[in-house]
Amino acid sequence: MTSTDLHTTLRSIFDARDRANMQPTIDAFLAVLVEHPDEPEVLYEVGGAYDTAGEEERALGYYERAMAKGLEGDTLRRCLLQYGSTLRNLGRIDESIAAFERARTEFPESDSLRVFHALTLHAAGRSDAAVAALLELVADRIDTPELARYEAAIRGNAAYLASVDAAS
């Protein structure tokens, strides 16, 4: 199977998934994994299927293997987001924060990473930092005349909240 064929197969399995019944998707991805046991994107997709099915502990191992096998690009960004979120959902908050910090370093322009990092900060009891991160995202990405008028205030509040968090 060529790389293009593999990507097409993975995409068709993903597109056919039923979030309420993930077992057929898991089975389909596992069948591809038998043929491509060291392919990082296949490992990532298996992890994602288990994650969606609510089997977070099992998902983590696949995410970790995918990253160890050299996952890269946008798929790595998605994997890091899902990995960090899964760690958060399992109550492994410090590991989740570390995963998001790594992800934000590697993908500084990713809005989705910024949002899910904020969720993890909130879960860690760092509400000031979480709100600061979301205010920064608003100031950076929502371009309306109404918000532009208050951009300095939004950024000032974000900086203040970040400093309150840092002092805690």
Side-chain angles (χ1 to χ4, degrees):
M1 186 179 293
T2 69
S3 177
T4 302
D5 292 339
L6 179 58
H7 291 287
T8 300
T9 298
L10 294 175
R11 187 71 205 173
S12 71
I13 293 168
F14 181 86
D15 289 345
R17 76 185 176 147
D18 174 0
R19 292 180 69 88
N21 179 17
M22 287 299 294
Q23 196 58 54
T25 302
I26 291 168
D27 293 343
F29 281 137
L30 286 173
V32 176
L33 184 60
V34 168
E35 297 174 27
H36 303 277
D38 294 322
E39 176 57 47
E41 290 194 32
V42 178
L43 290 162
Y44 160 72
E45 292 294 356
V46 172
Y50 277 121
D51 209 352
T52 301
E55 296 184 46
E56 289 95 347
E57 286 287 350
R58 185 172 279 173
L60 285 179
Y62 285 99
Y63 291 151
E64 290 166 353
R65 286 175 53 201
M67 290 184 282
K69 291 289 183 183
L71 196 63
E72 58 188 19
D74 193 58
T75 309
L76 174 60
R77 181 195 57 78
R78 292 191 320 265
C79 185
L80 285 165
L81 187 150
Q82 290 168 223
Y83 180 67
S85 292
T86 299
L87 289 166
R88 181 188 70 244
N89 291 340
L90 292 170
R92 295 165 58 179
I93 303 300
D94 290 341
E95 292 171 82
S96 177
I97 289 172
F100 279 111
E101 288 173 354
R102 170 189 171 193
R104 298 264 330 268
T105 297
E106 292 188 38
F107 302 96
E109 296 301 315
S110 173
D111 295 338
S112 60
L113 285 170
R114 292 170 78 177
V115 168
F116 283 88
H117 183 224
L119 286 170
T120 296
L121 292 170
H122 182 268
R126 297 176 56 193
S127 295
D128 291 326
V131 172
L134 293 174
L135 286 174
E136 290 170 357
L137 180 62
V138 165
D140 289 346
R141 297 291 192 251
I142 301 176
D143 186 19
T144 66
E146 182 180 358
L147 285 177
R149 178 181 176 103
Y150 301 104
E151 181 180 353
I154 293 167
R155 290 190 188 281
N157 279 286
Y160 169 74
L161 290 170
S163 72
V164 169
D165 177 75
S168 301

